[in-house]
Amino acid sequence: MISAEEALERLREGNLRFVSDVRSHDSLSSEARRSALTAGQEPFAIILGCSDSRVPAEIVFDQGLGDLFVIRVAGNIVAPSQIGSVEFAAERAGARLVVVLGHSQCGAILATVEELQRPTESHSRNLRSIVDRISPSVEPLLSTDLRHDHDALVRHAVRANVRASANQLRHGSDIVEELIQSGGLLVVGAEYSLETGIVEFFDALPPSRERPVGVDAFSEHE
């Protein structure tokens, strides 16, 4: 079983390869790899990411078949089915790292900000359920000076939503809580930049991986 810290390092290294346009031969989906995985899977990390077509986790982290257990939903929100999927991958498949992966210019975040600022009745019931899950993490930002800067508001909202989803995973399941307390499971938040391709991990990192004070450009209003 790969530790959470080692899994995190693998993701960092994979993202660096992706950004540098240097792909790993190990990530190729070969026939031998496919055959080897028919007997079972042992993904080293769980990714709860957004469904946005521009943020495929396996490509962003330069990983191949069987490496990642990926859950994708608009706005990387957390509902019972997502929690159950994390439980399965952590308890049954042995993954010890969970990454909630948001991204810049997230459409679900943009829709939520617009709805909070100018409520409409145009959303379907199903789309509204997504907005309703994101709203609690975004609404407090509208009472700050960020309401005067739309771009900054969206950037902070992306991260606030990631943190909220990560916190829901940490405390929304007895199984996940137990694995965090005694099984070495780590739940972290991250953001993928559409502009640069870089993934920045920023929430609940192990002490050795925490960013130096002042590095996070989004810390002022968080």
Side-chain angles (χ1 to χ4, degrees), residues 48-53 55-56 71-76 101-103 106-108:
L48 172 58
C50 183
S51 298
D52 193 296
S53 63
V55 197
I71 308 157
R72 298 184 70 179
V73 59
N76 43 272
L101 181 62
H103 66 93
C106 178

Side-chain angles (χ1 to χ4, degrees), residues 178-199:
E178 176 62 27
L179 287 172
I180 290 173
Q181 292 172 8
S182 59
L185 184 71
L186 180 66
V187 180
V188 304
E191 181 183 353
Y192 171 76
S193 170
L194 294 178
E195 297 77 12
T196 67
I198 294 172
V199 174

Side-chain angles (χ1 to χ4, degrees), residues 86-131:
V86 169
E87 289 176 343
F88 173 84
E91 188 175 42
R92 300 280 295 275
R96 284 297 173 265
L97 175 67
V98 183
V99 177
V100 177
L101 181 62
H103 66 93
S104 62
Q105 302 183 42
C106 178
I109 298 297
L110 288 166
T112 302
V113 169
E114 291 170 0
E115 179 65 22
L116 289 172
Q117 292 180 323
R118 295 180 297 277
T120 69
E121 299 296 329
S122 60
H123 296 299
S124 73
R125 178 180 62 185
N126 299 310
L127 287 174
R128 183 165 292 279
S129 70
I130 295 174
V131 171

Side-chain angles (χ1 to χ4, degrees), residues 26-29 33 37 44 58 61-68:
D26 294 335
S27 70
L28 297 178
S29 302
R33 180 61 172 161
L37 287 169
F44 70 83
E58 292 89 347
F61 290 116
D62 189 33
Q63 303 300 321
L65 288 174
D67 291 331
L68 303 178

Side-chain angles (χ1 to χ4, degrees), residues 32-45:
R33 180 61 172 161
R34 292 197 306 272
S35 298
L37 287 169
T38 58
Q41 62 169 324
E42 293 182 348
F44 70 83

